[in-house]
PDB file of all heavy atoms in Angstrom:
ATOM      1  N   PRO A   1      25.340  12.412  19.391  1.00  0.00           N
ATOM      2  CA  PRO A   1      24.933  11.000  19.410  1.00  0.00           C
ATOM      3  C   PRO A   1      23.450  10.880  19.036  1.00  0.00           C
ATOM      4  O   PRO A   1      22.653  11.799  19.307  1.00  0.00           O
ATOM      5  CB  PRO A   1      25.221  10.566  20.819  1.00  0.00           C
ATOM      6  CG  PRO A   1      26.204  11.572  21.380  1.00  0.00           C
ATOM      7  CD  PRO A   1      25.903  12.863  20.681  1.00  0.00           C
ATOM      8  N   ALA A   2      23.105   9.786  18.432  1.00  0.00           N
ATOM      9  CA  ALA A   2      21.715   9.582  17.972  1.00  0.00           C
ATOM     10  C   ALA A   2      20.683   9.831  19.101  1.00  0.00           C
ATOM     11  O   ALA A   2      19.659  10.506  18.891  1.00  0.00           O
ATOM     12  CB  ALA A   2      21.512   8.179  17.350  1.00  0.00           C
ATOM     13  N   ALA A   3      20.944   9.243  20.237  1.00  0.00           N
ATOM     14  CA  ALA A   3      19.982   9.373  21.363  1.00  0.00           C
ATOM     15  C   ALA A   3      19.804  10.844  21.758  1.00  0.00           C
ATOM     16  O   ALA A   3      18.670  11.267  21.997  1.00  0.00           O
ATOM     17  CB  ALA A   3      20.491   8.540  22.566  1.00  0.00           C
ATOM     18  N   ILE A   4      20.918  11.633  21.759  1.00  0.00           N
ATOM     19  CA  ILE A   4      20.787  13.016  22.152  1.00  0.00           C
ATOM     20  C   ILE A   4      20.092  13.809  21.066  1.00  0.00           C
ATOM     21  O   ILE A   4      19.291  14.670  21.384  1.00  0.00           O
ATOM     22  CB  ILE A   4      22.178  13.571  22.446  1.00  0.00           C
ATOM     23  CG1 ILE A   4      22.916  12.813  23.552  1.00  0.00           C
ATOM     24  CG2 ILE A   4      22.112  15.052  22.839  1.00  0.00           C
ATOM     25  CD1 ILE A   4      22.199  12.820  24.861  1.00  0.00           C
ATOM     26  N   ALA A   5      20.440  13.497  19.807  1.00  0.00           N
ATOM     27  CA  ALA A   5      19.806  14.267  18.713  1.00  0.00           C
ATOM     28  C   ALA A   5      18.287  14.084  18.706  1.00  0.00           C
ATOM     29  O   ALA A   5      17.547  15.110  18.588  1.00  0.00           O
ATOM     30  CB  ALA A   5      20.416  13.798  17.383  1.00  0.00           C
ATOM     31  N   PHE A   6      17.866  12.847  18.868  1.00  0.00           N
ATOM     32  CA  PHE A   6      16.377  12.604  18.782  1.00  0.00           C
ATOM     33  C   PHE A   6      15.700  13.042  20.138  1.00  0.00           C
ATOM     34  O   PHE A   6      14.513  13.456  20.066  1.00  0.00           O
ATOM     35  CB  PHE A   6      16.145  11.188  18.454  1.00  0.00           C
ATOM     36  CG  PHE A   6      16.548  10.797  17.064  1.00  0.00           C
ATOM     37  CD1 PHE A   6      17.624   9.938  16.825  1.00  0.00           C
ATOM     38  CD2 PHE A   6      15.898  11.312  15.998  1.00  0.00           C
ATOM     39  CE1 PHE A   6      18.059   9.637  15.541  1.00  0.00           C
ATOM     40  CE2 PHE A   6      16.309  11.032  14.686  1.00  0.00           C
ATOM     41  CZ  PHE A   6      17.357  10.164  14.469  1.00  0.00           C
ATOM     42  N   ALA A   7      16.393  12.952  21.209  1.00  0.00           N
ATOM     43  CA  ALA A   7      15.817  13.470  22.464  1.00  0.00           C
ATOM     44  C   ALA A   7      15.606  14.959  22.376  1.00  0.00           C
ATOM     45  O   ALA A   7      14.635  15.491  22.868  1.00  0.00           O
ATOM     46  CB  ALA A   7      16.680  13.104  23.633  1.00  0.00           C
ATOM     47  N   THR A   8      16.577  15.654  21.722  1.00  0.00           N
ATOM     48  CA  THR A   8      16.419  17.106  21.500  1.00  0.00           C
ATOM     49  C   THR A   8      15.245  17.372  20.624  1.00  0.00           C
ATOM     50  O   THR A   8      14.479  18.351  20.876  1.00  0.00           O
ATOM     51  CB  THR A   8      17.719  17.659  20.920  1.00  0.00           C
ATOM     52  OG1 THR A   8      18.825  17.329  21.702  1.00  0.00           O
ATOM     53  CG2 THR A   8      17.626  19.161  20.751  1.00  0.00           C
ATOM     54  N   GLY A   9      15.023  16.527  19.626  1.00  0.00           N
ATOM     55  CA  GLY A   9      13.862  16.692  18.772  1.00  0.00           C
ATOM     56  C   GLY A   9      12.574  16.558  19.499  1.00  0.00           C
ATOM     57  O   GLY A   9      11.611  17.277  19.288  1.00  0.00           O
ATOM     58  N   VAL A  10      12.505  15.589  20.420  1.00  0.00           N
ATOM     59  CA  VAL A  10      11.276  15.367  21.227  1.00  0.00           C
ATOM     60  C   VAL A  10      11.069  16.540  22.142  1.00  0.00           C
ATOM     61  O   VAL A  10       9.913  17.024  22.286  1.00  0.00           O
ATOM     62  CB  VAL A  10      11.411  14.097  22.075  1.00  0.00           C
ATOM     63  CG1 VAL A  10      10.308  13.952  23.088  1.00  0.00           C
ATOM     64  CG2 VAL A  10      11.430  12.844  21.122  1.00  0.00           C
ATOM     65  N   LEU A  11      12.080  17.096  22.725  1.00  0.00           N
ATOM     66  CA  LEU A  11      11.948  18.265  23.547  1.00  0.00           C
ATOM     67  C   LEU A  11      11.381  19.465  22.743  1.00  0.00           C
ATOM     68  O   LEU A  11      10.507  20.171  23.208  1.00  0.00           O
ATOM     69  CB  LEU A  11      13.300  18.664  24.187  1.00  0.00           C
ATOM     70  CG  LEU A  11      13.315  19.918  25.088  1.00  0.00           C
ATOM     71  CD1 LEU A  11      12.342  19.684  26.293  1.00  0.00           C
ATOM     72  CD2 LEU A  11      14.722  20.189  25.575  1.00  0.00           C
ATOM     73  N   ALA A  12      11.910  19.598  21.509  1.00  0.00           N
ATOM     74  CA  ALA A  12      11.390  20.676  20.652  1.00  0.00           C
ATOM     75  C   ALA A  12       9.904  20.467  20.350  1.00  0.00           C
ATOM     76  O   ALA A  12       9.120  21.427  20.318  1.00  0.00           O
ATOM     77  CB  ALA A  12      12.236  20.750  19.340  1.00  0.00           C
ATOM     78  N   PHE A  13       9.464  19.240  20.073  1.00  0.00           N
ATOM     79  CA  PHE A  13       8.093  18.929  19.859  1.00  0.00           C
ATOM     80  C   PHE A  13       7.235  19.317  21.038  1.00  0.00           C
ATOM     81  O   PHE A  13       6.121  19.869  20.873  1.00  0.00           O
ATOM     82  CB  PHE A  13       7.915  17.422  19.597  1.00  0.00           C
ATOM     83  CG  PHE A  13       8.004  17.008  18.153  1.00  0.00           C
ATOM     84  CD1 PHE A  13       8.856  17.725  17.297  1.00  0.00           C
ATOM     85  CD2 PHE A  13       7.300  15.938  17.664  1.00  0.00           C
ATOM     86  CE1 PHE A  13       8.924  17.402  15.928  1.00  0.00           C
ATOM     87  CE2 PHE A  13       7.412  15.575  16.316  1.00  0.00           C
ATOM     88  CZ  PHE A  13       8.245  16.289  15.493  1.00  0.00           C
ATOM     89  N   MET A  14       7.758  19.090  22.250  1.00  0.00           N
ATOM     90  CA  MET A  14       6.959  19.369  23.445  1.00  0.00           C
ATOM     91  C   MET A  14       6.864  20.890  23.654  1.00  0.00           C
ATOM     92  O   MET A  14       5.807  21.448  23.970  1.00  0.00           O
ATOM     93  CB  MET A  14       7.580  18.686  24.663  1.00  0.00           C
ATOM     94  CG  MET A  14       7.575  17.172  24.580  1.00  0.00           C
ATOM     95  SD  MET A  14       8.546  16.344  25.846  1.00  0.00           S
ATOM     96  CE  MET A  14       7.539  16.704  27.308  1.00  0.00           C
ATOM     97  N   VAL A  15       8.026  21.591  23.497  1.00  0.00           N
ATOM     98  CA  VAL A  15       8.051  23.025  23.713  1.00  0.00           C
ATOM     99  C   VAL A  15       7.229  23.757  22.689  1.00  0.00           C
ATOM    100  O   VAL A  15       6.469  24.713  22.993  1.00  0.00           O
ATOM    101  CB  VAL A  15       9.532  23.537  23.655  1.00  0.00           C
ATOM    102  CG1 VAL A  15       9.532  25.062  23.664  1.00  0.00           C
ATOM    103  CG2 VAL A  15      10.322  23.018  24.836  1.00  0.00           C
ATOM    104  N   LEU A  16       7.259  23.282  21.418  1.00  0.00           N
ATOM    105  CA  LEU A  16       6.484  23.937  20.389  1.00  0.00           C
ATOM    106  C   LEU A  16       5.070  23.379  20.223  1.00  0.00           C
ATOM    107  O   LEU A  16       4.318  23.803  19.350  1.00  0.00           O
ATOM    108  CB  LEU A  16       7.222  23.724  19.035  1.00  0.00           C
ATOM    109  CG  LEU A  16       8.620  24.341  18.995  1.00  0.00           C
ATOM    110  CD1 LEU A  16       9.359  23.925  17.695  1.00  0.00           C
ATOM    111  CD2 LEU A  16       8.560  25.867  19.071  1.00  0.00           C
ATOM    112  N   ARG A  17       4.628  22.511  21.159  1.00  0.00           N
ATOM    113  CA  ARG A  17       3.337  21.926  21.140  1.00  0.00           C
ATOM    114  C   ARG A  17       2.949  21.260  19.841  1.00  0.00           C
ATOM    115  O   ARG A  17       1.784  21.367  19.420  1.00  0.00           O
ATOM    116  CB  ARG A  17       2.289  23.014  21.559  1.00  0.00           C
ATOM    117  CG  ARG A  17       2.507  23.647  22.890  1.00  0.00           C
ATOM    118  CD  ARG A  17       2.344  22.637  24.027  1.00  0.00           C
ATOM    119  NE  ARG A  17       2.578  23.249  25.312  1.00  0.00           N
ATOM    120  CZ  ARG A  17       1.612  23.671  26.108  1.00  0.00           C
ATOM    121  NH1 ARG A  17       0.349  23.586  25.686  1.00  0.00           N
ATOM    122  NH2 ARG A  17       1.886  24.194  27.265  1.00  0.00           N
ATOM    123  N   ILE A  18       3.850  20.601  19.233  1.00  0.00           N
ATOM    124  CA  ILE A  18       3.563  19.810  18.049  1.00  0.00           C
ATOM    125  C   ILE A  18       2.648  18.676  18.475  1.00  0.00           C
ATOM    126  O   ILE A  18       1.769  18.207  17.751  1.00  0.00           O
ATOM    127  CB  ILE A  18       4.841  19.253  17.413  1.00  0.00           C
ATOM    128  CG1 ILE A  18       5.758  20.410  16.968  1.00  0.00           C
ATOM    129  CG2 ILE A  18       4.510  18.439  16.174  1.00  0.00           C
ATOM    130  CD1 ILE A  18       5.138  21.394  16.038  1.00  0.00           C
ATOM    131  N   LEU A  19       2.897  18.141  19.674  1.00  0.00           N
ATOM    132  CA  LEU A  19       2.076  17.066  20.255  1.00  0.00           C
ATOM    133  C   LEU A  19       1.362  17.632  21.486  1.00  0.00           C
ATOM    134  O   LEU A  19       1.966  18.392  22.221  1.00  0.00           O
ATOM    135  CB  LEU A  19       2.959  15.896  20.634  1.00  0.00           C
ATOM    136  CG  LEU A  19       3.315  14.861  19.602  1.00  0.00           C
ATOM    137  CD1 LEU A  19       4.261  13.842  20.170  1.00  0.00           C
ATOM    138  CD2 LEU A  19       2.058  14.135  19.120  1.00  0.00           C
ATOM    139  N   PRO A  20       0.146  17.192  21.729  1.00  0.00           N
ATOM    140  CA  PRO A  20      -0.469  17.434  23.053  1.00  0.00           C
ATOM    141  C   PRO A  20       0.428  16.816  24.132  1.00  0.00           C
ATOM    142  O   PRO A  20       0.832  15.675  24.026  1.00  0.00           O
ATOM    143  CB  PRO A  20      -1.792  16.773  23.007  1.00  0.00           C
ATOM    144  CG  PRO A  20      -2.117  16.624  21.538  1.00  0.00           C
ATOM    145  CD  PRO A  20      -0.804  16.449  20.852  1.00  0.00           C
ATOM    146  N   LEU A  21       0.708  17.615  25.177  1.00  0.00           N
ATOM    147  CA  LEU A  21       1.622  17.100  26.195  1.00  0.00           C
ATOM    148  C   LEU A  21       1.124  15.789  26.825  1.00  0.00           C
ATOM    149  O   LEU A  21       1.920  14.937  27.200  1.00  0.00           O
ATOM    150  CB  LEU A  21       1.830  18.182  27.288  1.00  0.00           C
ATOM    151  CG  LEU A  21       2.524  19.411  26.757  1.00  0.00           C
ATOM    152  CD1 LEU A  21       2.716  20.401  27.939  1.00  0.00           C
ATOM    153  CD2 LEU A  21       3.870  19.115  26.192  1.00  0.00           C
ATOM    154  N   ARG A  22      -0.143  15.660  26.938  1.00  0.00           N
ATOM    155  CA  ARG A  22      -0.725  14.458  27.600  1.00  0.00           C
ATOM    156  C   ARG A  22      -0.516  13.207  26.689  1.00  0.00           C
ATOM    157  O   ARG A  22      -0.700  12.090  27.143  1.00  0.00           O
ATOM    158  CB  ARG A  22      -2.196  14.674  27.893  1.00  0.00           C
ATOM    159  CG  ARG A  22      -3.101  14.738  26.681  1.00  0.00           C
ATOM    160  CD  ARG A  22      -4.561  14.965  27.099  1.00  0.00           C
ATOM    161  NE  ARG A  22      -4.754  16.296  27.555  1.00  0.00           N
ATOM    162  CZ  ARG A  22      -5.576  16.617  28.590  1.00  0.00           C
ATOM    163  NH1 ARG A  22      -6.218  15.645  29.180  1.00  0.00           N
ATOM    164  NH2 ARG A  22      -5.723  17.830  28.984  1.00  0.00           N
ATOM    165  N   LYS A  23      -0.178  13.461  25.416  1.00  0.00           N
ATOM    166  CA  LYS A  23      -0.077  12.286  24.482  1.00  0.00           C
ATOM    167  C   LYS A  23       1.371  11.913  24.186  1.00  0.00           C
ATOM    168  O   LYS A  23       1.626  10.955  23.468  1.00  0.00           O
ATOM    169  CB  LYS A  23      -0.755  12.631  23.149  1.00  0.00           C
ATOM    170  CG  LYS A  23      -2.285  12.634  23.258  1.00  0.00           C
ATOM    171  CD  LYS A  23      -2.936  12.747  21.902  1.00  0.00           C
ATOM    172  CE  LYS A  23      -4.457  12.710  22.033  1.00  0.00           C
ATOM    173  NZ  LYS A  23      -5.107  12.822  20.693  1.00  0.00           N
ATOM    174  N   VAL A  24       2.305  12.701  24.762  1.00  0.00           N
ATOM    175  CA  VAL A  24       3.703  12.437  24.481  1.00  0.00           C
ATOM    176  C   VAL A  24       4.104  11.010  24.882  1.00  0.00           C
ATOM    177  O   VAL A  24       4.688  10.205  24.137  1.00  0.00           O
ATOM    178  CB  VAL A  24       4.627  13.448  25.114  1.00  0.00           C
ATOM    179  CG1 VAL A  24       6.101  13.017  25.045  1.00  0.00           C
ATOM    180  CG2 VAL A  24       4.479  14.808  24.470  1.00  0.00           C
ATOM    181  N   TYR A  25       3.741  10.659  26.091  1.00  0.00           N
ATOM    182  CA  TYR A  25       4.098   9.332  26.623  1.00  0.00           C
ATOM    183  C   TYR A  25       3.238   8.227  26.056  1.00  0.00           C
ATOM    184  O   TYR A  25       3.622   7.064  26.008  1.00  0.00           O
ATOM    185  CB  TYR A  25       4.045   9.341  28.143  1.00  0.00           C
ATOM    186  CG  TYR A  25       5.056  10.318  28.747  1.00  0.00           C
ATOM    187  CD1 TYR A  25       4.642  11.526  29.307  1.00  0.00           C
ATOM    188  CD2 TYR A  25       6.410   9.946  28.821  1.00  0.00           C
ATOM    189  CE1 TYR A  25       5.598  12.383  29.821  1.00  0.00           C
ATOM    190  CE2 TYR A  25       7.330  10.838  29.313  1.00  0.00           C
ATOM    191  CZ  TYR A  25       6.923  12.027  29.844  1.00  0.00           C
ATOM    192  OH  TYR A  25       7.842  12.894  30.372  1.00  0.00           O
ATOM    193  N   ASN A  26       2.019   8.611  25.577  1.00  0.00           N
ATOM    194  CA  ASN A  26       1.191   7.599  24.888  1.00  0.00           C
ATOM    195  C   ASN A  26       1.758   7.178  23.553  1.00  0.00           C
ATOM    196  O   ASN A  26       1.420   6.155  23.039  1.00  0.00           O
ATOM    197  CB  ASN A  26      -0.234   8.153  24.708  1.00  0.00           C
ATOM    198  CG  ASN A  26      -0.944   8.365  26.022  1.00  0.00           C
ATOM    199  OD1 ASN A  26      -0.628   7.760  27.029  1.00  0.00           O
ATOM    200  ND2 ASN A  26      -1.951   9.253  26.000  1.00  0.00           N
ATOM    201  N   ALA A  27       2.621   8.068  22.957  1.00  0.00           N
ATOM    202  CA  ALA A  27       3.195   7.743  21.667  1.00  0.00           C
ATOM    203  C   ALA A  27       4.243   6.661  21.768  1.00  0.00           C
ATOM    204  O   ALA A  27       4.627   6.087  20.724  1.00  0.00           O
ATOM    205  CB  ALA A  27       3.781   9.034  21.081  1.00  0.00           C
ATOM    206  N   VAL A  28       4.763   6.413  22.943  1.00  0.00           N
ATOM    207  CA  VAL A  28       5.835   5.409  23.125  1.00  0.00           C
ATOM    208  C   VAL A  28       5.221   4.053  23.236  1.00  0.00           C
ATOM    209  O   VAL A  28       4.284   3.840  24.008  1.00  0.00           O
ATOM    210  CB  VAL A  28       6.661   5.759  24.370  1.00  0.00           C
ATOM    211  CG1 VAL A  28       7.782   4.735  24.575  1.00  0.00           C
ATOM    212  CG2 VAL A  28       7.287   7.164  24.252  1.00  0.00           C
ATOM    213  N   ASP A  29       5.777   3.073  22.526  1.00  0.00           N
ATOM    214  CA  ASP A  29       5.344   1.723  22.626  1.00  0.00           C
ATOM    215  C   ASP A  29       6.103   1.058  23.776  1.00  0.00           C
ATOM    216  O   ASP A  29       7.176   0.461  23.621  1.00  0.00           O
ATOM    217  CB  ASP A  29       5.684   0.962  21.331  1.00  0.00           C
ATOM    218  CG  ASP A  29       5.107  -0.466  21.272  1.00  0.00           C
ATOM    219  OD1 ASP A  29       4.637  -0.912  22.331  1.00  0.00           O
ATOM    220  OD2 ASP A  29       5.148  -1.070  20.218  1.00  0.00           O
ATOM    221  N   TRP A  30       5.556   1.205  24.978  1.00  0.00           N
ATOM    222  CA  TRP A  30       6.252   0.806  26.194  1.00  0.00           C
ATOM    223  C   TRP A  30       6.605  -0.664  26.234  1.00  0.00           C
ATOM    224  O   TRP A  30       7.683  -1.054  26.789  1.00  0.00           O
ATOM    225  CB  TRP A  30       5.457   1.209  27.426  1.00  0.00           C
ATOM    226  CG  TRP A  30       5.454   2.719  27.559  1.00  0.00           C
ATOM    227  CD1 TRP A  30       4.406   3.583  27.360  1.00  0.00           C
ATOM    228  CD2 TRP A  30       6.536   3.550  27.935  1.00  0.00           C
ATOM    229  NE1 TRP A  30       4.746   4.845  27.547  1.00  0.00           N
ATOM    230  CE2 TRP A  30       6.062   4.909  27.924  1.00  0.00           C
ATOM    231  CE3 TRP A  30       7.892   3.323  28.253  1.00  0.00           C
ATOM    232  CZ2 TRP A  30       6.896   5.961  28.213  1.00  0.00           C
ATOM    233  CZ3 TRP A  30       8.684   4.403  28.565  1.00  0.00           C
ATOM    234  CH2 TRP A  30       8.181   5.732  28.534  1.00  0.00           C
TER     235      TRP A  30
END
């Protein structure tokens, strides 16, 4: 499902440090 596919991508970004961990939640337009 789209939500699972993209959530897996976000997890990969975090594990591989593509993004600073402190900025992951800042990237979301809350």
Side-chain angles (χ1 to χ4, degrees):
I4 301 300
F6 292 112
T8 304
V10 171
L11 179 62
F13 270 31
M14 296 171 70
V15 171
L16 298 172
R17 299 297 179 96
I18 302 301
L19 275 175
L21 295 181
R22 70 180 72 218
K23 289 188 176 181
V24 170
Y25 295 104
N26 294 337
V28 179
D29 188 350
W30 291 107

